[in-house]
Amino acid sequence: MVECPECYSSNNKATPLRNKESCLKEHTQYICGTCGRCICIEPDSKRNVRRWNFPFKSLEMAKLYLRTADYTEQNSCGVYQIVDESGRKSYKIFPTSEDFISYLKRTGKHSLTKDALFQREEYIIFPKLK
Ligand SMILES: [Zn+2]
Ligand SMILES: [Zn+2]
């Protein structure tokens, strides 16, 4: 299947990753206007963070949530690689490369690449699903 131009997934049933039923029932979802895929965009009540703010195990998983980051920030966000002290890799979405660099400084983590592994060139507004 072809990757959706709006939400970067080829499977329109691909999220939520965890607690699927309660997430779909209780959390606000970004519904892709192109393929109908639901992506959790519920803000945490205390810190106003969403699922896309957390690290992912793979680039593919991060990509599943990238559109909710783009939409929240109204900006084309990027997926970056992070390597922790034990050499374990994870993938995290940042609004800008400056945010990524300051995160590395703040946490003492590093990365094998300074560039986003995946990022759309510019933010695109898509019409809502009717
Ligand atoms: Zn959720
Ligand atoms: Zn889609």
Side-chain angles (χ1 to χ4, degrees):
M1 261 209 283
V2 190
E3 190 172 283
C4 177
E6 177 172 347
C7 74
Y8 318 114
S9 174
S10 54
N11 174 7
N12 70 356
K13 304 257 187 311
T15 48
L17 296 177
R18 273 185 288 170
N19 303 327
K20 194 164 186 140
E21 273 172 41
S22 66
C23 182
L24 287 175
K25 223 192 284 176
E26 291 156 28
H27 293 170
T28 310
Q29 306 286 319
Y30 176 93
I31 300 169
C32 177
T34 305
C35 75
R37 189 165 75 88
C38 295
I39 318 167
C40 183
I41 195 168
E42 179 82 7
D44 166 284
S45 54
K46 287 183 204 129
R47 295 187 298 146
N48 205 37
V49 292
R50 297 170 168 83
R51 182 63 188 90
W52 68 260
N53 292 104
F54 293 93
F56 294 91
K57 281 185 193 149
S58 71
L59 171 61
E60 286 308 306
M61 282 181 183
K63 269 176 78 178
L64 290 178
Y65 284 85
L66 183 59
R67 178 61 187 174
T68 55
D70 292 351
Y71 181 76
T72 308
E73 299 291 324
Q74 299 284 297
N75 178 34
S76 67
C77 300
V79 181
Y80 295 83
Q81 180 203 61
I82 291 162
V83 185
D84 70 13
E85 282 170 12
S86 60
R88 194 174 24 203
K89 288 177 187 147
S90 60
Y91 300 84
K92 197 171 180 317
I93 297 169
F94 293 94
T96 66
S97 60
E98 289 78 32
D99 294 317
F100 168 60
I101 301 295
S102 73
Y103 174 86
L104 292 183
K105 280 193 191 136
R106 201 167 67 240
T107 59
K109 292 174 181 169
H110 65 282
S111 180
L112 304 176
T113 165
K114 288 251 184 316
D115 299 316
L117 301 177
F118 185 87
Q119 180 174 34
R120 169 166 286 148
E121 270 176 46
E122 57 182 54
Y123 180 67
I124 301 173
I125 296 169
F126 287 90
K128 280 212 162 73
L129 201 64
K130 278 177 226 89

